[in-house]
Amino acid sequence: MRSKTLSRSRQLGLAGVLFVASLTGAVPAMAQTGGAGPPGSTTTTTTTTTPSAPSGTAQLQPDGTALAPANAPRQVRKAINAGNRIHTRPYIWGGGHRSFKSTGYDCSGAVSYVLHAAGLLRAPMVSGALATRWGAPGFGSWITVYGNSSHVYMVVAGLRFDTSSGGDSLNQGSGPRWRTTNRAATGYAIRYYPGF
């Protein structure tokens, strides 16, 4: 009889150890997702993270800012943050050329500002120079600049950053704005920064 009792005690002890081990593995997983502790517990775990869009594509927010994708490299996040800082500035011809900081921006001033914030440009460039001398010919994985002698715009993580409404049915005003619509690239040189 004693051997049966001992065997049952060992079984209960082993079950208890397995239960505790399963909780130990579950707590870190709940902490990663911001979930609460086991039912009936009074402890909750919260995490604070910078909001992000699903992987791959930035999302236009109701306030006109862009939300970076979760898997965006640091430089792409910096580019999006820079675009967000100036997304309500007015269009001013020559704005952003004397200095990156300006009360308003033209097309090349706005693109230069964003590229500079991402660490991809040292000094402001006019549209023709961005179309011929910045980066390399071709499409980028994250950032692509479209330029010619009279206009330049860029696409960052799938969102167009442009001072021209070009194809938008919704008028968001003049100046640099994030736009969800594409525009025809006919007549534009297509450039990217290697690695981005």
Side-chain angles (χ1 to χ4, degrees), residues 1-73:
M1 182 82 163
R2 183 174 168 94
S3 65
K4 283 187 178 181
T5 306
L6 190 56
S7 171
R8 182 155 170 87
S9 295
R10 284 185 184 161
Q11 288 175 348
L12 288 173
L14 180 59
V17 168
L18 290 174
F19 176 73
V20 169
S22 70
L23 286 179
T24 303
V27 170
M30 286 185 292
Q32 292 171 6
T33 61
S41 72
T42 57
T43 304
T44 58
T45 305
T46 58
T47 57
T48 56
T49 58
T50 303
S52 59
S55 296
T57 305
Q59 288 183 347
L60 184 64
Q61 301 299 290
D63 66 356
T65 60
L67 189 60
N71 62 336

Side-chain angles (χ1 to χ4, degrees), residues 61-113:
Q61 301 299 290
D63 66 356
T65 60
L67 189 60
N71 62 336
R74 183 172 178 254
Q75 290 88 343
V76 174
R77 289 181 177 279
K78 285 183 165 195
I80 290 172
N81 289 338
N84 287 344
R85 282 193 297 273
I86 64 170
H87 86 281
T88 59
R89 301 284 172 90
Y91 181 91
I92 296 177
W93 187 81
H97 289 279
R98 185 177 300 244
S99 166
F100 284 112
K101 293 183 180 181
S102 181
T103 57
Y105 292 86
D106 66 8
C107 61
S108 53
V111 169
S112 291
Y113 179 87

Side-chain angles (χ1 to χ4, degrees), residues 141-178:
S141 300
W142 291 98
I143 298 173
T144 303
V145 172
Y146 298 80
N148 59 32
S149 61
S150 61
H151 187 62
V152 66
Y153 66 95
M154 65 193 312
V155 174
V156 182
L159 277 184
R160 180 166 55 105
F161 191 69
D162 196 348
T163 57
S164 169
S165 61
D168 277 346
S169 57
L170 177 65
N171 181 1
Q172 300 177 43
S174 70
R177 305 288 185 265
W178 291 108

